[in-house]
C-alpha cells in the first residue's frame, strides 16, 4: 500500500490533463482559471507582508496547527507548529510550497502582463512584492526557480539591457544575502552555505542520500528495474545491503525524495526513469510547439507552463517539486488547458482570440 501511495503522489496531477481535455467545454474557462490562480497568489503575497511586518504573533496566527491527543486518541485541543516562526509562509503549511506557489503567480504576471494588471507601475510594484516574499520565505531553491522566468522575460524585452539588469540584479541579491540579511537565519543569510554547519547539514540530508544510498545502488542488481516505490522496503533494503553510517538514521532515508530525480532511478530503475523523462520532455516539446502557433491568452499560458516545467528540472535535484501541489498541480493544470485548446476537435479554433 505504501508503494501505491508514493506512485499516486507522482501521477495524480498527470491524470488531470486527461480529465480537463475530455470535459472542458467553456470558451472563457482558460482566462477565468488563470485569473483565479494569479489573484490567489497575490493574496498569499499580502499575507506574506503581514507576516513580515507583524512578526511572530502574526506568523503564529497563520501557522498550521496539529491536534493534541491523549493516549486514547481523545482530542484535547490544538498546538501551533513552531518550526515556521522564522520565515514567512502565507496560509500554506510549508515555506517551500509557499515559495513555489509565488513562482506560479509571478510567472503568470510576467507573461500575461496587462491581461492581469493593466497599469505598468502597479505591475512593477507587484513584481517586487513577489520577489520580496519569495526571498523571505527562506527557500533558496524557490529564489533560484524565480530567476528563470525573470531572465527570459528580460532577454525578450531587450537583449543588451537584459545582460546589465541581470548582472546588477544578481550582484544586488548576493550582496544583500551576504551582508544585509539576518546572519542568524540559515535560510535567509547566504553566508551559511560556506559554513561548516552547512556541509554537515548536507551530509545528513541530500548529500548523505547520494553518498550512502544512490552511489551504492548504481552497482546493485536492481539498477535496471528499481526497488519499487515503497519507502519502507527501500529503508529495509538499504540497511541490509548498503553500508549506512550510524549517524545516518532511518529518518533521513525516508527523505529520499529530496533528491527526486535520483529517487526515481532507485524506485523505478534506469528503464523506468528513462520512460518518465521521455514522457516529461515530450510534454515540454508539445508545449513549445503550441506556444509558437497559439493565439492570445493560450500563447502566454503555454509559455508559463514551459517555465514551470523547466523550473522543476533543477528544483527536483534538491526537492520533490514534481509532487508539491503548490507548483505541480498548477503546472499540469496549465498543460491541460493548453493541450485542450490545441487538440484536434477542440471547442476553440486556433485562430480565435480569447
Amino acid at each position: 500500500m505504501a508503494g501505491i501511495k508514493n506512485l499516486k503522489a507522482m501521477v495524480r496531477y498527470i491524470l488531470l490533463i486527461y480529465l480537463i481535455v475530455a470535459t472542458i467545454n467553456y470558451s472563457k474557462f482558460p482566462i477565468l482559471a488563470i485569473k483565479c490562480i494569479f489573484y490567489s497568489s497575490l493574496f498569499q503575497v499580502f499575507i506574506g507582508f503581514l507576516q513580515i511586518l507583524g512578526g511572530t504573533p502574526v506568523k503564529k496566527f497563520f501557522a498550521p496547527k496539529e491536534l493534541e491527543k491523549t493516549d486514547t486518541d481523545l482530542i484535547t485541543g490544538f498546538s501551533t507548529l513552531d518550526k515556521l516562526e522564522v520565515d514567512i509562509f502565507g496560509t500554506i503549511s510549508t515555506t517551500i510550497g509557499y515559495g513555489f506557489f509565488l513562482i506560479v503567480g509571478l510567472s503568470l504576471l510576467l507573461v500575461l502582463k496587462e491581461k492581469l494588471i493593466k497599469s505598468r507601475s502597479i505591475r512593477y510594484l507587484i513584481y517586487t512584492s513577489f520577489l520580496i516574499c519569495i526571498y523571505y520565505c527562506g527557500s533558496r531553491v524557490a529564489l533560484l526557480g524565480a530567476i528563470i522566468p525573470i531572465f527570459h522575460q528580460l532577454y525578450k524585452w531587450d537583449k543588451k539591457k537584459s545582460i546589465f539588469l541581470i548582472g546588477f540584479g544578481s550582484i544586488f541579491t548576493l550582496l544583500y544575502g551576504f551582508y544585509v540579511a539576518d546572519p542568524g537565519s540559515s535560510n535567509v543569510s547566504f553566508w551559511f552555505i560556506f559554513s561548516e554547519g552547512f556541509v554537515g547539514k548536507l551530509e545528513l540530508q541530500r548529500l548523505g542520500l547520494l553518498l550512502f544510498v544512490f552511489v551504492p545502488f548504481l552497482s546493485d542488481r536492481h539498477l535496471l528495474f528499481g526497488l519499487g516505490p515503497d519507502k519502507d522496503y527501500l529503508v529495509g533494503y538499504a540497511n541490509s545491503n548498503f553500508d549506512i553510517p550510524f549517524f545516518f538514521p532511518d529518518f533521513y532515508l525516508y527523505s529520499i525524495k529530496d533528491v527526486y530525480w535520483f529517487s526515481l532511478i532507485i524506485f523505478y530503475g534506469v528503464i523506468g526513469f528513462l520512460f518518465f523523462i521521455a514522457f516529461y520532455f515530450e510534454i515540454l516539446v508539445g508545449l513549445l510547439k503550441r506556444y509558437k502557433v497559439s493565439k492570445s491568452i493560450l500563447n502566454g499560458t503555454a509559455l508559463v507552463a514551459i517555465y514551470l516545467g523547466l523550473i522543476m528540472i533543477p528544483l527536483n535535484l534538491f526537492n520533490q517539486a514534481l509532487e508539491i501541489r503548490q507548483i505541480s498541480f498548477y503546472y499540469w493544470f496549465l498543460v491541460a488547458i493548453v493541450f485542450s485548446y490545441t487538440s484536434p476537435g477542440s471547442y476553440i479554433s486556433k485562430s480565435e482570440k480569447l
Side-chain angles (χ1 to χ4, degrees):
M1 288 300 294
I4 294 176
K5 289 180 180 179
N6 284 326
L7 184 61
K8 182 195 73 173
M10 185 178 74
V11 303
R12 56 185 169 177
Y13 299 134
I14 299 176
L15 299 177
L16 183 68
I17 289 182
Y18 300 100
L19 179 63
I20 291 181
V21 170
T23 61
I24 191 171
N25 59 4
Y26 178 48
S27 62
K28 297 298 181 182
F29 176 79
I31 187 61
L32 289 176
I34 288 168
K35 284 184 175 181
C36 285
I37 296 170
F38 171 71
Y39 288 115
S40 295
S41 66
L42 200 56
F43 174 73
Q44 293 298 330
V45 169
F46 172 72
I47 299 299
F49 271 98
L50 287 182
Q51 293 170 346
I52 292 173
L53 298 174
T56 299
V58 177
K59 293 174 184 177
K60 280 190 173 182
F61 176 80
F62 287 102
K65 310 295 191 296
E66 64 179 6
L67 293 174
E68 291 182 342
K69 297 182 180 180
T70 64
D71 294 337
T72 58
D73 287 338
L74 177 66
I75 297 175
T76 60
F78 295 91
S79 62
T80 302
L81 299 181
D82 295 329
K83 63 180 181 178
L84 297 177
E85 287 189 19
V86 176
D87 307 309
I88 66 172
F89 48 88
T91 62
I92 297 172
S93 61
T94 65
T95 55
I96 290 179
Y98 177 73
F100 286 176
F101 185 46
L102 295 193
I103 289 176
V104 176
L106 175 63
S107 300
L108 287 172
L109 185 59
L110 282 168
V111 174
L112 299 177
K113 298 181 176 67
E114 65 274 358
K115 294 182 178 65
L116 296 175
I117 301 292
K118 294 187 181 298
S119 170
R120 177 181 295 181
S121 58
I122 294 178
R123 286 203 304 272
Y124 286 135
L125 177 63
I126 295 175
Y127 292 147
T128 305
S129 300
F130 268 107
L131 289 174
I132 290 173
C133 287
I134 290 173
Y135 182 84
Y136 275 99
C137 79
S139 171
R140 290 181 291 269
V141 174
L143 187 62
L144 175 65
I147 290 175
I148 293 177
I150 292 173
F151 281 13
H152 182 253
Q153 286 297 311
L154 286 173
Y155 187 76
K156 285 180 61 179
W157 169 60
D158 190 308
K159 293 180 175 61
K160 292 183 179 179
K161 289 182 180 179
S162 67
I163 296 175
F164 168 76
L165 291 173
I166 290 169
F168 176 79
S170 301
I171 293 172
F172 175 81
T173 302
L174 288 173
L175 289 177
Y176 183 86
F178 282 126
Y179 295 107
V180 181
D182 179 11
S185 171
S186 63
N187 286 333
V188 176
S189 175
F190 288 1
W191 277 119
F192 182 70
I193 64 176
F194 297 107
S195 68
E196 183 178 346
F198 182 71
V199 176
K201 189 176 180 180
L202 274 180
E203 191 174 34
L204 287 176
Q205 295 181 356
R206 295 167 180 85
L207 184 59
L209 290 169
L210 294 178
L211 293 177
F212 308 138
V213 181
F214 180 72
V215 172
F217 182 75
L218 292 177
S219 58
D220 191 84
R221 66 182 185 278
H222 295 96
L223 179 62
L224 285 181
F225 298 101
L227 297 173
D230 188 337
K231 286 194 283 189
D232 292 330
Y233 179 77
L234 166 64
V235 171
Y237 188 87
N239 283 319
S240 301
N241 296 272
F242 304 150
D243 187 17
I244 306 295
F246 71 92
F247 59 81
F248 202 78
D250 291 352
F251 172 80
Y252 296 114
L253 292 176
Y254 278 103
S255 303
I256 187 65
K257 286 188 177 181
D258 280 350
V259 284
Y260 193 75
W261 294 129
F262 301 100
S263 73
L264 291 185
I265 296 176
I266 296 173
F267 286 146
Y268 308 107
V270 172
I271 293 177
F273 176 76
L274 291 177
F275 270 110
F276 182 80
I277 292 299
F279 167 75
Y280 191 81
F281 279 95
E282 180 70 18
I283 293 290
L284 288 177
V285 170
L287 286 170
L288 184 60
K289 291 179 179 178
R290 287 160 172 79
Y291 164 65
K292 293 178 179 179
V293 301
S294 299
K295 303 294 183 180
S296 188
I297 191 74
L298 271 302
N299 176 276
T301 305
L303 183 56
V304 173
I306 291 171
Y307 284 159
L308 298 183
L310 292 176
I311 286 170
M312 286 194 289
I313 293 174
L315 293 191
N316 280 322
L317 293 172
F318 313 105
N319 213 289
Q320 46 187 318
L322 200 60
E323 295 185 9
I324 295 178
R325 65 175 61 89
Q326 284 81 14
I327 188 170
S328 180
F329 172 84
Y330 297 103
Y331 168 66
W332 294 114
F333 186 77
L334 296 178
V335 168
I337 290 177
V338 174
F339 276 63
S340 177
Y341 172 74
T342 56
S343 60
S346 175
Y347 60 92
I348 306 176
S349 67
K350 287 188 174 67
S351 61
E352 182 178 349
K353 293 185 177 181
L354 298 179

